[in-house]
Amino acid sequence: MTAAAFAKGLLALEGELTPILVQMVKSANMNGLLDSDGDSLSSCQHRVKARLHHILQQDAPFGPEDYDQLAPTGSTSLLNSMTIIQNPVKVCDQVFALIENLTHQIRNRMQDPKSVDLQLYHSETLELMLQRWSKLERDFRQKSGRYDISKIPDIYDCVKYDVQHNGSLGLQGTAELLRLSKALADVVIPQEYGISREEKLEIAVGFCLPLLRKILLDLQRTHEDESVNKLHPLYSRGVLSPGRHVRTRLYFTSESHVHSLLSVFRYGGLLDETQDAQWQRALAYLSAISELNYMTQIVIMLYEDNTRDPLSEERFHVELHFSPGVKGFEEEGSAPTGYGFRPASSENEEIKTDEGSTENLCPRKAPDEPDRALQTSPQPSEGPGLPRRSPLIRNRKAGSMEVIEGAWEEDEGVEISMYTLNPLGVILGT
């Protein structure tokens, strides 16, 4: 339904979602693209989670050995969160006390006659809100006194939801609960997908190998498929090669698959960061990202220059673009910024455009509103084979998992966008 709603907005379609769902969206359950290799995942993930829980159950400040064990990749966001936490058990004690205080406040509000008919966001009642938090209060601290670390992401999701949507209640302590639970979640969530580079890559392949194969197949089909869908003349003005076919695929998938795909890009040896300054900057940006939020997306753009030799590496141009989604509750200026939609290469700081330049595909954003971008190579010199954007869409039944297929993207290009589904809601907007 999320994919259908996105398609309706993207294509400016009228009517109900059901016909769009039937015509344009295919569920991943039909072809196993969201399936994972359970056997290979179970042993590695269990080892990782056991080690993670052991480290976070120590009632002592983090020492150099803990940093080596928990953050061997040197992730900037992970190191920052560990600095905030310092003693994980003490922080869990604080989080639990804040949850107890929160449930106490909700019970008091329920006894207030003025709150009898109070309805919260999406018609939730105080009773339902209390149930949410009471369950977390019961489950987080076990009878042994130890904390169930796996509940930390749920605590963070709940307090973020209430701060954002139910802030008018004026509940005390939610800001501090948000700060502490986010610091814990920023350690637990990414590290559940592997602590070392080798573990992250092993778990990533176990999660998204079928999806990776499908992406590769789609990229190859773009080159091989001759069922042409051309640009409409109304939308082809300024396009150097309006007769060439275009294809777009959008995948709506789980957070686990987005984490895994990012791990493949980061640790799979795609490029040598010691030899490529632009890739080094891209990895540094990913390292600073603490959270994959609503509308997190990875975009793969493939271009073909028909003027080049078919066997030449210059025949194709691939770009990777990434956004961690909407901004969270970071203080102003604390969120990392990217380098723009198509940053100028480090070798050429002057932006030069012409009629065939990819720099003209979209207007540059203001400096305080940068898009996040990862590119696999410095921007090449633009030539006649690189096209412009078109808003035209074609409607046809898609042939892959939860996919919408269209032709709004570049002349002779393919775009695959992957959006996370947050447990507290679905994606709205384009």
Side-chain angles (χ1 to χ4, degrees):
M1 294 302 291
T2 303
F6 188 92
K8 181 178 179 179
L10 181 67
L11 308 184
L13 302 176
E14 301 292 338
E16 299 296 324
L17 290 181
T18 302
I20 302 172
L21 187 70
V22 172
Q23 181 184 6
M24 303 187 66
V25 177
K26 184 173 181 180
S27 172
N29 296 331
M30 299 175 65
N31 51 23
L33 288 183
L34 291 186
D35 292 344
S36 58
D37 186 346
D39 293 336
S40 65
L41 278 178
S42 58
S43 60
C44 185
Q45 271 205 306
H46 286 163
R47 292 196 311 269
V48 166
K49 288 185 177 182
R51 195 159 81 253
L52 181 61
H53 282 230
H54 172 72
I55 296 173
L56 295 180
Q57 295 287 357
Q58 299 181 59
D59 189 3
F62 286 132
E65 184 178 345
D66 297 309
Y67 280 89
D68 292 339
Q69 290 183 356
L70 192 55
T73 62
S75 168
T76 303
S77 62
L78 186 60
L79 295 175
N80 290 341
S81 295
M82 291 180 68
T83 301
I84 294 173
I85 295 169
Q86 297 202 8
N87 184 320
V89 172
K90 287 290 188 293
V91 171
C92 286
D93 287 339
Q94 291 177 265
V95 167
F96 183 74
L98 288 166
I99 294 175
E100 283 186 314
N101 179 262
L102 186 59
T103 56
H104 178 71
Q105 291 182 69
I106 297 172
R107 289 188 180 95
N108 288 340
R109 292 296 296 270
M110 290 171 61
Q111 296 173 3
D112 186 349
K114 297 179 181 179
S115 302
V116 172
D117 298 323
L118 181 65
Q119 284 194 333
L120 308 180
Y121 185 68
H122 274 216
S123 300
E124 186 185 30
T125 63
L126 284 171
E127 287 82 359
L128 290 175
M129 184 182 191
L130 180 61
Q131 287 179 25
R132 279 196 287 121
W133 283 108
S134 295
K135 187 177 188 309
L136 289 172
E137 183 181 356
R138 291 192 305 269
D139 296 345
F140 183 43
R141 189 162 73 178
Q142 301 167 330
K143 293 181 179 179
S144 63
R146 292 166 65 88
Y147 290 102
D148 185 352
I149 304 302
S150 66
K151 300 301 178 185
I152 287 173
D154 296 332
I155 295 171
Y156 173 57
D157 283 338
C158 277
V159 70
K160 181 170 65 171
Y161 178 87
D162 285 331
V163 167
Q164 182 173 358
H165 299 298
N166 296 320
S168 59
L169 286 176
L171 298 172
Q172 300 298 313
T174 53
E176 182 66 2
L177 179 57
L178 176 66
R179 185 183 74 88
L180 295 177
S181 62
K182 175 174 171 54
L184 289 168
D186 288 346
V187 172
V188 172
I189 294 175
Q191 298 308 81
E192 284 186 338
Y193 297 97
I195 295 177
S196 67
R197 296 170 66 100
E198 294 76 19
E199 290 168 341
K200 288 181 181 293
L201 193 57
E202 180 179 347
I203 292 174
V205 172
F207 264 112
C208 67
L209 185 58
L211 181 57
L212 286 168
R213 287 171 174 162
K214 185 61 172 63
I215 291 174
L216 179 60
L217 179 63
D218 286 341
L219 292 172
Q220 292 171 337
R221 279 193 60 199
T222 301
H223 176 58
E224 299 166 358
D225 189 1
E226 295 302 327
S227 58
V228 176
N229 289 269
K230 297 183 179 180
L231 292 173
H232 190 282
L234 290 177
Y235 300 96
S236 61
R237 185 176 63 178
V239 177
L240 298 180
S241 50
R244 296 163 68 184
H245 74 279
V246 290
R247 182 186 297 274
T248 299
R249 285 182 183 262
L250 294 94
Y251 294 73
F252 294 76
T253 187
S254 64
E255 182 180 9
S256 60
H257 282 70
V258 178
H259 273 289
S260 299
L261 192 58
L262 284 176
S263 291
V264 169
F265 288 147
R266 294 175 70 177
Y267 307 114
L270 188 61
L271 288 172
D272 184 355
E273 61 183 292
T274 63
Q275 303 296 322
D276 191 316
Q278 188 176 29
W279 188 245
Q280 189 177 45
R281 292 194 300 270
L283 294 184
Y285 172 71
L286 285 179
S287 176
I289 296 298
S290 63
E291 177 182 4
L292 302 184
N293 213 326
Y294 294 97
M295 297 296 290
T296 291
Q297 55 194 276
I298 300 169
V299 182
I300 304 174
M301 295 182 178
L302 172 66
Y303 302 89
E304 181 179 11
D305 185 352
N306 288 327
T307 65
R308 303 288 184 175
D309 188 296
L311 299 180
S312 170
E313 291 188 358
E314 296 178 347
R315 176 82 175 193
F316 295 97
H317 171 72
V318 178
E319 293 182 6
L320 297 177
H321 297 267
F322 167 76
S323 169
V326 301
K327 287 186 178 181
F329 294 90
E330 297 91 351
E331 295 181 4
E332 190 66 29
S334 64
T337 56
Y339 295 93
F341 188 66
R342 283 188 175 82
S345 68
S346 57
E347 291 79 7
N348 181 13
E349 294 300 328
E350 293 184 10
I351 302 172
K352 299 180 180 179
T353 61
D354 56 38
E355 287 300 312
S357 170
T358 57
E359 295 290 337
N360 290 330
L361 286 173
C362 67
R364 285 191 169 272
K365 301 192 70 147
D368 60 338
E369 296 180 338
D371 284 320
R372 276 75 169 171
L374 306 181
Q375 290 179 279
T376 58
S377 62
Q379 183 68 39
S381 58
E382 286 78 13
L386 294 179
R388 294 172 181 268
R389 183 183 299 270
S390 168
L392 185 65
I393 308 295
R394 61 186 170 92
N395 295 346
R396 54 162 291 191
K397 187 173 181 180
S400 58
M401 73 132 204
E402 284 198 27
V403 170
I404 310 165
E405 191 171 334
W408 74 282
E409 196 40 59
E410 285 79 355
D411 174 43
E412 189 64 355
V414 62
E415 174 177 330
I416 302 173
S417 298
M418 309 186 64
Y419 295 84
T420 61
L421 299 180
N422 190 291
L424 294 178
V426 297
I427 303 158
L428 301 176
T430 59

